[in-house]
Amino acid sequence: MRDPAGLYDLTPEETSVPEGLHLVAGLTGFADAGSAVTQLSEYLLDTLDHQVIATFDADVLLDYRARRPVVYFDQDHLTDYQPPSLALYLATDEAGQQFLHLTGFEPDFQWERFSAAVLELLARFKVRTTTWVHAIPMPVPHTRPIGVTVSGNRTELIDAMSVWRPRTQVPANALHLVEYRLQQLNHATAGFVLLVPHYLAETEHPDAAVKALESISAATGLIFPTERLRVAGREFLAKIDAQVQTNHELARLVGTLEERHDSYMEGNPLRSPLTDEAGELPSADEIAAELENFLATRRSGDEDQLRT
């Protein structure tokens, strides 16, 4: 393997990083249900003081043909180009506590080298704990709080917060590999998998970002402003509820998900919160079809706001 340090460049500000900080990470790529990780990263960078400590080489790590960057076209010429970014930041929470934040695109290539580079940076700054989040679509109702599955070696977090503990094989995220390597080093690490309603996975679900922030706070003691996201979440769910109330079939399907979720949470011996004894589920297509017009209208409204 080539030198992991060749994947990133440190900025002059790296000398100002104190030892023993928490690292918070979230990468966008294979799965980001409810745009949880995207919202989390944008919210932290929009609301907290931060500075870049290290930048990773996108030309080495990213498949541009699979995830094309955006250029801006103004009638007859290009006005801007937004290159993809993967960077390590030094940020300060609402209580004045500093932490490191790794955010950006999930690498398409050289996972082992990338993982080694992250471990190298963690050792350089003597990072205290590593916490990361991602989100997957699951057949759970939007009327219940978003749950999490917790991985890693922070048993106190797993015992207190992990609502679903399957034995299964899952498609990996690059940060899964980082977590696996950190566990081998006995470094304190926790990964939070947000379980987002599958029929809302393709939209921007503010409560998913709130749950991500709450999970990070539980693992690190960091304090984040969340009121703006909470207000947006209440408005979003109110619109979803309005759609459900006017469609009896949709209400029945959501009700079925509620029953299975509640039975599981009450200790009923179902195999998981996702299926009944026969392993049957309401069709995701059925629910998605009923909500398609609502989501399309919402996206259209957002685009109209951007134009004004």
Side-chain angles (χ1 to χ4, degrees):
M1 181 171 60
R2 285 176 288 173
D3 183 7
L7 284 180
Y8 62 86
D9 292 316
L10 292 166
T11 67
E13 287 73 20
E14 64 94 10
T15 59
S16 65
V17 178
E19 296 180 357
L21 298 182
H22 297 288
L23 173 72
V24 173
L27 303 179
T28 57
F30 174 71
D32 186 17
S35 296
V37 177
T38 299
Q39 291 184 85
L40 168 70
S41 297
E42 291 178 351
Y43 199 69
L44 291 179
L45 295 181
D46 285 346
T47 59
L48 301 181
D49 291 335
H50 62 275
Q51 54 186 330
V52 178
I53 300 303
T55 57
F56 285 83
D57 189 347
D59 280 350
V60 173
L61 294 174
L62 184 67
D63 181 353
Y64 286 87
R65 293 176 297 177
R67 289 184 283 175
R68 295 182 182 272
V70 174
V71 295
Y72 292 86
F73 188 82
D74 184 3
Q75 299 185 43
D76 59 359
H77 66 285
L78 300 177
T79 59
D80 193 19
Y81 165 69
Q82 294 294 327
S85 173
L86 173 55
L88 180 67
Y89 296 86
L90 175 64
T92 305
D93 78 349
E94 198 170 36
Q97 303 174 94
Q98 291 185 307
F99 66 99
L100 294 171
H101 181 38
L102 177 64
T103 184
F105 63 85
E106 179 188 18
D108 293 306
F109 307 115
Q110 300 194 33
W111 277 23
E112 288 285 0
R113 191 178 176 208
F114 169 73
S115 178
V118 173
L119 266 62
E120 188 173 277
L121 288 168
L122 266 60
R124 182 186 189 93
F125 299 120
K126 295 181 171 58
V127 167
R128 179 179 174 188
T129 69
T130 296
T131 304
W132 69 284
V133 295
H134 69 127
I136 60 175
M138 300 291 271
V140 292
H142 71 278
T143 52
R144 300 294 185 267
I146 292 175
V148 297
T149 290
V150 188
S151 61
N153 54 18
R154 301 279 304 274
T155 56
E156 76 282 7
L157 296 172
I158 295 171
D159 293 341
M161 300 180 66
S162 194
V163 300
W164 185 47
R165 307 181 191 184
R167 287 188 173 94
T168 187
Q169 293 179 322
V170 296
N173 181 299
L175 289 177
H176 279 121
L177 179 57
V178 173
E179 177 186 305
Y180 184 70
R181 298 301 183 211
L182 289 175
Q183 287 183 164
Q184 292 176 325
L185 298 173
N186 293 320
H187 173 87
T189 182
F192 290 93
V193 185
L194 310 183
L195 310 179
V196 177
H198 61 313
Y199 51 93
L200 301 178
E202 296 303 317
T203 190
E204 189 174 279
H205 192 348
D207 281 358
V210 172
K211 187 63 178 182
L213 290 167
E214 290 176 344
S215 300
I216 294 167
S217 292
T220 63
L222 297 168
I223 306 299
F224 304 112
T226 60
E227 185 57 28
R228 192 178 79 198
L229 284 171
R230 292 181 189 276
V231 170
R234 289 192 290 269
E235 294 174 351
F236 176 73
L237 291 181
K239 292 177 182 178
I240 295 292
D241 287 337
Q243 294 295 314
V244 172
Q245 291 170 6
T246 58
N247 187 298
H248 296 299
E249 183 64 16
L250 178 58
R252 184 184 69 81
L253 292 172
V254 172
T256 301
L257 289 176
E258 290 174 335
E259 291 174 5
R260 291 171 182 167
H261 175 277
D262 293 346
S263 293
Y264 178 81
M265 296 301 290
E266 291 169 5
N268 197 315
L270 299 179
R271 293 183 302 170
S272 80
L274 314 180
T275 62
D276 62 13
E277 292 85 346
E280 297 296 328
L281 288 171
S283 166
D285 291 338
E286 291 179 89
I287 299 178
E290 297 295 340
L291 290 169
E292 182 177 356
N293 289 338
F294 161 72
L295 298 177
T297 301
R298 185 173 186 270
R299 286 192 291 267
S300 176
D302 291 342
E303 289 172 0
D304 290 343
Q305 289 180 2
L306 290 174
R307 293 191 190 102
T308 60

